[in-house]
Amino acid sequence: MKSINYKLLFTVIGLGISSFVAAQTDTTLVITEANAINKHQLKTDTTSKTFQRYKADGVAAVIGDYLILESDIQKMRQDVTNQGIKGITDCQLAGRMMENKLYAHHGKLDTTIVVSDLQIGSQVDQQIAHMKEQLGSVDKMLEFYRKDTEQELRETLIEINKERVLTSNMQEKVVSEVEVTPEEVRLFFDNIPADERPTFGDEVEIAQLVIKPEVPQEEVQKVIDQLNEMRNDIVNNGASFATKAVLYSQDGTSGKGGKMSIKRDDPLDKDFKQIAFSLREGEVSKPFKSQFGYHIVQVDKVRGQNLDIRHIILIPKVTNKTVEAAKQKIDSIRQNIIDGKITFDAAARRYSDEEETRGDGGKLINPKSGDTRFELTDIDPLIYDKVNNLKKGEVSIVLTDQTRTGRRFFKIITVIEKYPEHVADYAKDYTKIKQLALQKKQLKEVQRWQTEKIEETYIKINGKYRDCEFESNWLKN
């Protein structure tokens, strides 16, 4: 039997199965591109260099309903370069991109996979806000994506994000039923030669306490009054809902007049979905609140369990006064913890505005492993230095973060425990070893699924990529 390079296997598996789809979050990728644009300073004039770059663009491959352009591969090249990854060939990049498109194509065909327009719109809003923060404007991103207006850029980002969600959800479905038993975990570990067992890096357990600025009631009322005024104009004066959505709605669907299609099983805010499905065709809701803001909704058409709707969302503003009050509050809490007047655990349970962690004293759960340990390399780069320099029990300075809708909030972090780098130990690291065993099994299922779907999907590879030696049978030889 062919021997296995376990250190290489752990390097691949350590990226997580999701790395076969997308290595970064949507926002991080946009920021990476933004930084690359700043670094290379793409020009907005019509120089021969720019013209040649555009002229050279062609179709590298077709996977089902999706095209892969030469420029797409070059953007991916720029992305891996910015991450400091070396030794990746264009053939490997094309292969990775073809995998993504294969998942997206079959995700689109799978009726059980749903992409929420509302959530996609919110992600795009956050991305554009980050672009403006990083670059000062979206002008360079317009050139990067070859668009003339911010609205065209928004629509492009919506399609990119939809494809990423389809890709991710399809792959999750492929591996969703794969499980490992304790016996499989033991056999997996026992089969690793002692000199090839993985080394787990420095790890920490951390907790955070979050304070969010309050939204003044008068700001909430302003938004409700504005929505009521719009609703009255639509219902009583025949004004266009779509036009008002374009002019006023604060999300990614505004360019389409707030239009979106939803199903009862869509992963939407439950209040939003409940209101929408309670309306008759043509009816406009009264203003209501969701986790994202305040809405009015109009039902365009009822299609069985599906609705074609339009919606307008307005997000109440925090004020400088409430932001300053939140900052003073967290400063005071932090000082009380440092002075020993209250423990971090007790303070988080009493004061934190983060519902997900408040009940456990602010302790964070690692989404990769499901336990409370984080490798330092997995920690958000924005807080890495703060955590890395903290000793056990110390409290960070007050940090500023923001929600998906761009609203600022404050947090403090503490280190509960530190674990030094060590070679994998079955008893101490069972959770991680189980995850590695599971991911190895998932990888085999991914490879099986890809082999099957490549055979039944229309695929065409063009130009130099026909000479590539792909790991998967993309050329159907």
Side-chain angles (χ1 to χ4, degrees), residues 69-209:
L69 301 178
E70 289 280 357
S71 61
D72 296 331
I73 296 174
Q74 293 313 307
K75 286 175 185 172
M76 196 172 188
R77 161 70 61 200
Q78 189 176 79
D79 184 29
V80 298
T81 299
N82 291 335
Q83 294 181 64
I85 300 173
K86 299 180 180 179
I88 305 295
T89 67
D90 282 353
C91 288
Q92 290 172 316
L93 293 177
R96 172 63 60 82
M97 192 162 286
M98 287 190 286
E99 290 178 8
N100 293 353
K101 303 297 184 184
L102 185 70
Y103 283 110
H105 172 71
H106 287 280
K108 186 187 291 186
L109 297 177
D110 193 322
T111 57
T112 66
I113 292 179
V114 177
V115 178
S116 164
D117 288 341
L118 186 62
Q119 290 181 333
I120 294 295
S122 295
Q123 289 174 1
V124 170
D125 287 341
Q126 185 180 13
Q127 289 171 349
I128 290 178
H130 275 293
M131 290 178 199
K132 291 178 178 177
E133 181 180 344
Q134 292 285 319
L135 302 174
S137 73
V138 297
D139 291 346
K140 293 174 185 175
M141 293 303 292
L142 290 175
E143 184 189 0
F144 189 76
Y145 284 102
R146 304 179 191 177
K147 301 301 173 185
D148 294 324
T149 66
E150 183 175 322
Q151 184 56 41
E152 288 180 1
L153 174 63
R154 185 185 296 275
E155 290 171 0
T156 297
L157 290 176
I158 285 174
E159 291 307 311
I160 289 172
N161 279 276
K162 280 184 179 179
E163 182 183 325
R164 287 178 185 155
V165 172
L166 281 171
T167 299
S168 177
N169 289 354
M170 186 69 242
Q171 191 178 45
E172 286 178 8
K173 181 175 180 178
V174 170
V175 300
S176 61
E177 296 183 3
V178 178
E179 297 179 346
V180 287
T181 64
E183 179 62 15
E184 287 176 311
V185 177
R186 186 187 65 77
L187 288 173
F188 170 79
F189 185 77
D190 288 346
N191 285 332
I192 305 173
D195 61 346
E196 293 187 21
R197 289 177 181 170
T199 298
F200 296 126
D202 293 334
E203 297 174 310
V204 291
E205 288 182 313
I206 56 179
Q208 68 181 24
L209 186 157

Side-chain angles (χ1 to χ4, degrees), residues 206-211 329-330 333-334 336-337 342-364 395 411-414 416:
I206 56 179
Q208 68 181 24
L209 186 157
V210 171
I211 298 296
K329 180 177 180 180
I330 199 167
I333 294 170
R334 178 179 181 275
N336 285 339
I337 295 171
I342 189 171
T343 65
F344 194 101
D345 181 274
R349 292 174 189 273
R350 184 181 302 178
Y351 300 114
S352 182
D353 291 327
E354 187 173 60
E355 294 182 5
E356 298 86 351
T357 62
R358 182 172 57 206
D360 200 22
K363 188 178 292 186
L364 299 181
V395 181
K411 64 183 178 183
I412 52 176
I413 296 171
T414 191
I416 300 171

Side-chain angles (χ1 to χ4, degrees), residues 401-412:
D401 206 335
Q402 64 180 24
T403 66
R404 285 185 296 173
T405 58
R407 180 172 294 165
R408 283 198 304 158
F409 64 89
F410 303 102
K411 64 183 178 183
I412 52 176

Side-chain angles (χ1 to χ4, degrees), residues 223-236 239 241 244-245 247-249 284 296 312 314:
V223 163
I224 293 173
D225 290 345
Q226 190 176 358
L227 288 171
N228 273 322
E229 185 178 337
M230 292 184 202
R231 180 180 184 276
N232 180 66
D233 201 20
I234 293 165
V235 173
N236 297 321
F241 195 108
K244 290 191 180 294
L247 293 174
Y248 302 110
S249 189
V284 181
I296 55 173
I312 296 170
L314 298 180

Side-chain angles (χ1 to χ4, degrees), residues 209-467:
L209 186 157
V210 171
I211 298 296
K212 299 177 181 178
E214 292 185 9
V215 178
Q217 186 55 41
E218 56 266 28
E219 292 297 324
V220 172
Q221 194 58 50
K222 282 181 186 178
V223 163
I224 293 173
D225 290 345
Q226 190 176 358
L227 288 171
N228 273 322
E229 185 178 337
M230 292 184 202
R231 180 180 184 276
N232 180 66
D233 201 20
I234 293 165
V235 173
N236 297 321
N237 301 325
S240 166
F241 195 108
T243 299
K244 290 191 180 294
V246 170
L247 293 174
Y248 302 110
S249 189
Q250 296 174 312
D251 83 334
T253 64
S254 61
K256 298 180 180 179
K259 188 174 183 179
M260 58 188 292
S261 297
I262 64 173
K263 302 176 183 177
R264 286 192 179 275
D265 58 354
D266 280 355
L268 297 172
D269 179 272
K270 65 178 182 178
D271 293 322
F272 184 92
K273 205 160 45 169
Q274 182 178 350
I275 294 293
F277 278 96
S278 70
L279 299 173
R280 298 185 298 274
E281 199 167 288
E283 189 176 2
V284 181
S285 75
K286 293 181 179 179
F288 66 93
K289 182 183 179 181
S290 78
Q291 62 179 309
F292 300 106
Y294 287 79
H295 309 254
I296 55 173
V297 172
Q298 181 182 52
V299 173
D300 277 356
K301 190 172 184 179
V302 178
R303 296 183 288 108
Q305 295 299 304
N306 300 343
L307 294 181
D308 292 335
I309 67 171
R310 295 184 187 273
H311 85 109
I312 296 170
I313 178 173
L314 298 180
I315 302 170
K317 298 177 181 179
V318 297
T319 63
N320 291 336
K321 183 178 179 180
T322 58
V323 170
E324 183 57 31
K327 177 66 165 56
Q328 290 178 3
K329 180 177 180 180
I330 199 167
D331 282 338
S332 176
I333 294 170
R334 178 179 181 275
Q335 193 59 50
N336 285 339
I337 295 171
I338 291 173
D339 292 342
K341 295 179 180 178
I342 189 171
T343 65
F344 194 101
D345 181 274
R349 292 174 189 273
R350 184 181 302 178
Y351 300 114
S352 182
D353 291 327
E354 187 173 60
E355 294 182 5
E356 298 86 351
T357 62
R358 182 172 57 206
D360 200 22
K363 188 178 292 186
L364 299 181
I365 301 298
N366 188 335
K368 287 186 178 181
S369 62
D371 66 13
T372 57
R373 294 188 185 186
F374 291 80
E375 285 201 32
L376 285 174
T377 53
D378 290 338
I379 293 176
D380 184 345
L382 295 176
I383 64 172
Y384 172 85
D385 288 339
K386 309 296 186 300
V387 171
N388 189 37
N389 293 326
L390 286 179
K391 297 178 182 177
K392 179 180 175 180
E394 285 187 334
V395 181
S396 72
I397 62 173
V398 175
L399 307 173
T400 303
D401 206 335
Q402 64 180 24
T403 66
R404 285 185 296 173
T405 58
R407 180 172 294 165
R408 283 198 304 158
F409 64 89
F410 303 102
K411 64 183 178 183
I412 52 176
I413 296 171
T414 191
V415 172
I416 300 171
E417 190 60 81
K418 285 195 170 187
Y419 302 91
E421 180 179 281
H422 62 282
V423 175
D425 179 279
Y426 183 76
K428 295 179 180 178
D429 302 304
Y430 178 82
T431 300
K432 288 187 178 61
I433 294 165
K434 178 182 178 182
Q435 185 67 18
L436 292 173
L438 174 63
Q439 289 177 338
K440 182 184 177 184
K441 193 171 180 180
Q442 288 174 331
L443 180 55
K444 289 182 179 179
E445 179 61 19
V446 164
Q447 292 168 336
R448 183 203 65 77
W449 182 90
Q450 284 184 7
T451 299
E452 175 186 311
K453 295 304 179 183
I454 285 172
E455 287 303 315
E456 65 184 54
T457 305
Y458 174 77
I459 296 172
K460 183 177 181 181
I461 313 297
N462 297 323
K464 67 178 183 179
Y465 300 101
R466 294 194 60 80
D467 297 326

